[in-house]
Amino acid sequence: LFASEIKALLAHPGLDLTLDRSALFDYVTYQYIPAPKSVYARIRKLPSGHTLVFERGELRIAPYWDVQFSDETFTEDQAIARVQHVLREAVDMRLVADVPLGVFLSGGVDSSVITATMAALQRDPVKSFTIGFEGATESEVHYARLVAKHCHTDHHERTLPRESVETMLPWAAATYDEPFADPSAMPTYLVSRTARENVIVILSGDGGDELFCGYPWYAYWLLLRPFDLLPLSLRR
């Protein structure tokens, strides 16, 4: 059996729903369950950047894309120029659409760069969308407003009471097919619902921190590398 999500598979009466205990350990470690595991031992997920082909009784899973690294070196100016070129090319490619499109503008570096790139590439004002919560201590809404003003976007902003997240919990439990603890899922859903009132396609900055080591734990990991020189018994 195969489907785009687990809940479609659950319609099959003979499905084995034994829990995968190692996947549960992954969940409490990473706050999600990485592919190819799922919370069910007999259901596997197709990894990102892979294709699945079933032909003449044979099943093949193979990668079609991955991040490529090389030993080629650049000066800082060359690296900046290349990143700008690739970013502009990637955004320009995705502006080719026969439906209205916009951008999620959180106020962070990733979405701000994409918003600015879109603004430079299209004549009409970019439709940008931001979500905020009442009383939030770490809100980036202020930065989103600054970027929207600088890029002259058609900005849409919605501030919601904290209680709105609580009312969404039953929806989240029904929508996600397995345990998932990333709190950004809630505001992502809410800003998507807001954007859908105006556009069909959205560009976002997801993945930038992973590609450019933007999270603090990358720095922590580098600091801990010398401990790998210690014997395993000492590290434990």
Side-chain angles (χ1 to χ4, degrees):
L1 303 171
F2 70 92
S4 61
E5 52 186 349
I6 291 176
K7 64 175 64 66
L9 298 176
L10 298 180
H12 193 282
L15 202 62
D16 183 349
L17 298 181
T18 302
L19 292 181
D20 185 333
R21 291 184 177 272
S22 68
L24 288 176
F25 295 151
D26 286 346
Y27 165 67
V28 296
T29 301
Y30 306 119
Q31 298 188 328
Y32 75 106
I33 299 174
K37 294 179 185 177
S38 85
V39 73
Y40 302 108
R42 300 287 294 173
I43 298 178
R44 303 289 85 176
K45 291 184 289 203
L46 188 64
S48 299
H50 282 64
T51 56
L52 181 151
V53 177
F54 185 74
E55 185 177 22
R56 297 175 183 173
E58 180 184 353
L59 181 67
R60 300 192 306 276
I61 296 176
Y64 65 85
W65 185 86
D66 200 354
V67 180
Q68 299 297 321
F69 298 95
S70 74
D71 295 329
E72 187 179 359
T73 58
F74 308 95
T75 66
E76 183 176 357
D77 289 341
Q78 288 173 328
I80 291 171
R82 179 168 289 197
V83 169
Q84 287 178 332
H85 170 74
V86 172
L87 182 68
R88 185 181 179 94
E89 186 178 54
V91 172
D92 191 32
M93 187 187 305
R94 283 153 184 83
L95 292 180
V96 180
D98 54 3
V99 294
L101 53 83
V103 62
F104 287 158
L105 178 56
S106 68
V109 174
D110 303 344
S111 65
S112 299
V113 168
I114 291 176
T115 301
T117 305
M118 290 177 68
L121 287 170
Q122 65 182 47
R123 293 181 180 178
D124 297 331
V126 175
K127 294 184 182 295
S128 57
F129 301 89
T130 300
I131 205 82
F133 292 94
E134 290 179 355
T137 57
E138 298 182 2
S139 175
E140 294 182 320
V141 170
H142 170 67
Y143 300 107
R145 291 172 185 163
L146 291 176
V147 175
K149 183 178 180 180
H150 178 76
C151 296
H152 305 288
T153 71
D154 178 10
H155 192 53
H156 301 259
E157 181 183 306
R158 185 166 293 178
T159 301
L160 299 168
R162 286 179 173 270
E163 294 74 23
S164 62
V165 174
E166 295 179 15
T167 62
M168 286 177 57
L169 291 177
W171 165 87
T175 299
Y176 288 102
D177 294 314
E178 57 186 0
F180 182 70
D182 186 347
S184 68
M186 299 300 189
T188 298
Y189 167 73
L190 291 169
V191 73
S192 299
R193 191 168 65 182
T194 300
R196 185 60 181 84
E197 299 170 1
N198 297 271
V199 298
I200 306 296
V201 175
I202 280 287
L203 275 64
S204 75
D206 280 358
D209 283 310
E210 288 78 5
L211 284 173
F212 291 94
C213 301
Y215 291 118
W217 51 76
Y218 291 114
Y220 302 154
W221 179 77
L222 286 175
L223 291 173
L224 292 171
R225 289 299 299 279
F227 286 99
D228 291 342
L229 301 175
L230 295 173
L232 183 60
S233 58
L234 282 177
R235 278 185 276 151
R236 284 178 173 170

